Amino acid sequence: MSLPYHDPVEIFWFILGGVVLAILVATVVIVQSNRQAALEARAGAPALLPAEPEPPASSVPPAVPEPGALDVPEAPASRMARLRRRLSGSSNPLARGLLSLLSAETLDAEAWDDLEATLITSDLGVGPTTELITALRRELSIDGHADPARARTVLRRELLNLVDPTMDRRLVTEGSGGLPGVVMVVGVNGTGKTTTIGKLARVLVAEHKSVVLGAADTFRAAAADQLETWGSRVGVPTVRGPEGGDPASVAFDAVGRGIDDAVDVVVVDTAGRLHTKSGLMDELGKIKRVIERKAPVTEVLLVIDATTGQNGLTQARVFADVVNITGIVLSKLDGSAKGGIVVQVQRELGVPVKLIGLGEGVDDLAPFDASDFVDALLSEG
Amino acid sequence: MFDTLQDRLSAAFRNLRGKTRLSEAEIEATLREIRLALLEADVNLTVVKEFTAAVRTRAAGAEIHQALNAGQQIIKIVNEELIGILGGQARPLRFAKRPPTVIMLAGLQGSGKTTLAGKLGKWLKGQGYSPLLVAADLQRPNAVTQLQVVGERAGVHVFAPEAGNGVGDPVQVARSSILHAMSKLYDVVVVDTAGRLGVDAELMQQAADIRDAVNPTEILFVVDAMIGQDAVNTANAFAAGVGFDGVVLSKLDGDARGGAALSIARVTGKPIMFASNGEGLDDFDAFHPDRMASRILGMGDLLTLIEQAEKTFDAEESAKAAQKLIAGKGEFGLDDFLQQMQAVRRMGPLSKILGMMPGMGQMKDQIAGIDEREIDRIEAIIYSMTPAERSNPKVLDGSRRSRIAKGSGTQVSDVNALVNRFFEARKMMQSLAGGAMAGMPGARRQPPRQPAKKRKGHGVSGNPAKRGLPATPAATTAVPGAAFGVPQPSEAELAKAMGEFQLPADLQKLFNQPNKGPQ
């Protein structure tokens, strides 16, 4: 991180700006509230008080995990074959678009526009798209004529360059010095963190690792139950705390339990939080710090929903700042969304996409493979 | 940080002063910027194309207005077009003539349906209805439990005959919920369904079956404000699969631009009815097309800023600080400064707050470079002072300064720099009190020793968006006591003024200070 300021007090001027702003805004607020008070006094109506935040409801009886036979998760190898098929399914509009485009006789201006449109529509972002198109045009202009087969090869290479196959995408689940590996899963609301952890637990169990889950999402109603249900299906214990309790303490207990039981991996779920809520982001930082008193966090996974647009980059940036993410999980890739935003995220932050979620099935989680991903994008389906 | 459309356009129009009509080429250049801005805001590409075509037609014929420069003129057109699409057919929730009214929620996984069900329940209850929430999401583990908890928090009954977790038939649950509602005299039924993908034919069929079973009065499509280009595919799939009557935009409390709202409104022609902007059960609001338009364009969002400020500021304290500052005579001390600084920080990262101010575009690189930890250090320095030193920094002599430096873990030079800048700034602010602060009339016209009257004087034009418009009529209405006789500026006017807002020259100078380097 390079800071443009050598003199720390330079920032003073910005704070000052903020303070000026604060005072101005405060004045407006006072005027408004006075006005409102005056109006209300005139109308004789009771003053409107800002609503107090709801106190968290008292604890809810946890769902009793059904006793009985545990599921046997699918082995990683057969899983890969199945998911690869799905990723390259014919329902892929990008693939079809590219195909029809590149099989045209010549590449005219309109075809280029369409290609650009197709790439933008996959949420790749304007920057990378322009870059890709420029590279492609330059490459093809050397030949003087546009040969679709060649365009295809070049496009594949350029796309692959963007996705960067050289990154290390292995999941670090091995702790050092006899401590368990600690995987923390973070993200904004509704991206599928808990579901991803459920699936991840199954993958780990399939690899014959012992796992403990930590339900540090104490905020959302029934999140801990959801996680426990996932865990109980494969016989993985879940450490949970009271709803509305301190998530850091739950995470601490979970890791503590993992150390006591000498398990291989502890996976900690966290509550979804928008990256704009500084209080919640601070809380996230605290969870990580507290965990690290017990054992170092080996992996921080940011879950990004494939439907997410350009905001994904901002999200990733903020999360990276707060908890130093080490990997990205791209979830819900089985829909019509292409998740192109991860290309930008990966490029800007240098954090690789490590896993992809491909559906609601319990075993629909796969390692991310750059060339598979690109091939799937370009496949003729 | 992203260039706002306004910055982009002002760059494109630098040489256009004094022209009364835009040339073809200039319009094309502008449209390219608009296209980029909209794409960065996740507006769907097809919609962007249609939209720019519409703007092109209007811009070509438009006379340049006297008061606006060419860029502002285009922005005005764009803004109006946006509001037109977003707010075209706004309408309230329909209720069935014969209860129960059935509201069905549909959407992708994780778009916030269950949370919305709770919010709707609470809102309906507040409106005097007796709502019933129906747990028809039997797919996701413990979605039923979640709805039960949400219902309990909202004080609304939940109909959940099936435990969920993949067991049970949601269609059956939905059907029997209507009978249940009729027999127990609930007048609104909110059916929460499982999240599903647009491409999943089987689940779409199930949603259609639920629809046929309950015959809903309103089907609301819940969509995440962060969704990207796929918004249109998804919306179309849902429109074809189950059909919907209105859209709810969720997670608007993030900083996504929410261009999806535009795409969906345009492509499906369905109105956006609600905006959901927080995790609390009360964070639920009607949709404001004008604010959304500003947000999509990346214009500073003063309204949001003010709202946020209202939540976090202690208005009385800030007013006192402002008084002290304007009064001069060194009354504004470091303690006041600290207090205000902390109030600002409570609103979020400083860079974000400054970014919300319109006209800060040219400063964005500096803003992006702000390291919040530097603020911590300044806080630490001030905390290491005694209360007397804080309120009167003039007493700080060499030995006090070295003590403070030791106490805060900084160098004496840091303390010196802070204190010197503070004095400098205070002087400048006081001189500004007659300049920039005059935009808040009353501050100048009123002797500061009459706080009650002063506040009244702020009346109409306490509106900061008007500060940059020195010759507006608002300034003349600022005669003390006139506040109540003058119509208040509406939100739309505020939003419009925002677009034309420029920082006062003095203030700009103030912000430009960092460029001069250390003294």
Side-chain angles (χ1 to χ4, degrees), chain B residues 5 34 53 75 88 92 110 131 152 172 193 207 261 272 375 383 419 444 452 459-460 499 512:
Chain B
L5 181 60
I34 293 172
I75 292 207
E152 192 180 310
Q172 188 52 44
T193 65
I272 298 167
I375 311 178
Y383 275 134
V419 173
R444 180 176 52 178
V460 171
N512 281 327

Side-chain angles (χ1 to χ4, degrees), chain A residues 13 24-28 31 35 117 123 126 189 220 229 243 274-275 277 307 309-311 315 332 336 360, chain B residues 36 42 45 109 140-142 146 153 226 228-230 251 253 255 309 318-319 421 458-459 462 467 488:
Chain A
W13 295 108
L24 291 174
V25 167
T27 318
V28 175
V31 170
R35 193 182 296 153
D123 284 321
V126 178
N189 314 60
R220 188 177 57 124
T229 305
E243 196 160 312
L274 286 175
H275 53 288
K277 306 271 168 84
T307 56
Q310 302 305 308
N311 192 240
Q315 286 172 21
K332 307 185 198 170
S336 43
E360 297 199 294
Chain B
L36 282 178
D42 291 323
L45 190 70
Q109 290 95 340
R140 183 164 60 94
N142 293 87
Q146 189 189 349
R153 285 185 194 168
M226 291 178 297
Q229 294 286 334
D230 195 47
K251 301 180 205 169
D253 46 337
D255 58 0
S318 299
R421 304 252 160 147
H458 279 276
R467 268 185 310 149
Q488 313 296 334

Side-chain angles (χ1 to χ4, degrees), chain B residues 295-513:
Chain B
R295 184 172 176 145
I296 290 175
L297 289 179
M299 304 207 295
D301 194 351
L302 262 187
L303 291 174
T304 307
L305 189 67
I306 291 171
E307 272 186 357
Q308 228 168 334
E310 264 175 320
K311 283 188 203 153
T312 46
F313 270 97
D314 182 342
E316 292 300 319
E317 289 295 334
S318 299
K320 262 188 234 158
Q323 295 269 323
K324 280 189 190 173
L325 185 63
I326 295 163
K329 299 183 193 123
E331 279 182 39
F332 187 81
L334 277 167
D335 44 354
D336 300 300
F337 177 74
L338 180 69
Q339 199 175 39
Q340 293 308 310
M341 185 169 87
Q342 284 167 341
V344 173
R345 292 190 82 186
R346 273 199 298 275
M347 287 169 62
L350 196 60
S351 51
K352 202 186 133 223
I353 295 163
L354 290 176
M356 273 200 260
M357 279 185 82
M360 290 301 284
Q362 55 271 59
M363 303 294 299
K364 67 182 171 49
D365 289 338
Q366 284 98 317
I367 291 174
I370 292 178
D371 184 351
E372 298 280 327
R373 274 169 303 185
E374 298 295 352
I375 311 178
D376 292 338
R377 294 180 65 182
I378 291 179
E379 255 178 34
I381 293 177
I382 300 178
Y383 275 134
S384 301
M385 297 178 184
T386 65
E389 287 166 347
R390 285 181 215 173
S391 59
N392 182 15
K394 284 199 172 134
V395 302
L396 290 169
D397 54 20
S399 97
R400 282 175 191 262
R401 286 183 193 204
S402 84
R403 188 204 77 234
I404 291 163
K406 270 188 203 137
S408 57
T410 51
Q411 301 299 314
V412 178
S413 61
D414 293 335
V415 180
N416 284 341
L418 172 69
V419 173
N420 292 342
R421 304 252 160 147
F422 177 75
F423 285 136
E424 229 176 275
R426 195 166 66 177
K427 221 192 287 167
M428 195 189 302
M429 303 262 271
Q430 275 153 16
S431 68
L432 279 178
M437 297 274 177
M440 307 185 301
R444 180 176 52 178
R445 288 156 200 260
Q446 289 290 311
R449 265 165 251 102
Q450 291 171 294
K453 246 181 152 186
K454 171 178 176 283
R455 282 181 205 161
K456 258 200 235 160
H458 279 276
V460 171
S461 49
N463 168 8
K466 304 250 183 200
R467 268 185 310 149
L469 305 171
T472 51
T476 57
T477 62
V479 186
F484 297 115
V486 180
Q488 313 296 334
S490 71
E491 276 194 3
E493 279 171 331
L494 256 172
K496 199 172 133 240
M498 246 168 55
E500 295 149 18
F501 172 85
Q502 296 287 330
L503 278 180
D506 284 348
L507 233 102
Q508 294 236 359
K509 211 169 71 196
L510 183 82
F511 281 119
N512 281 327
Q513 284 286 337

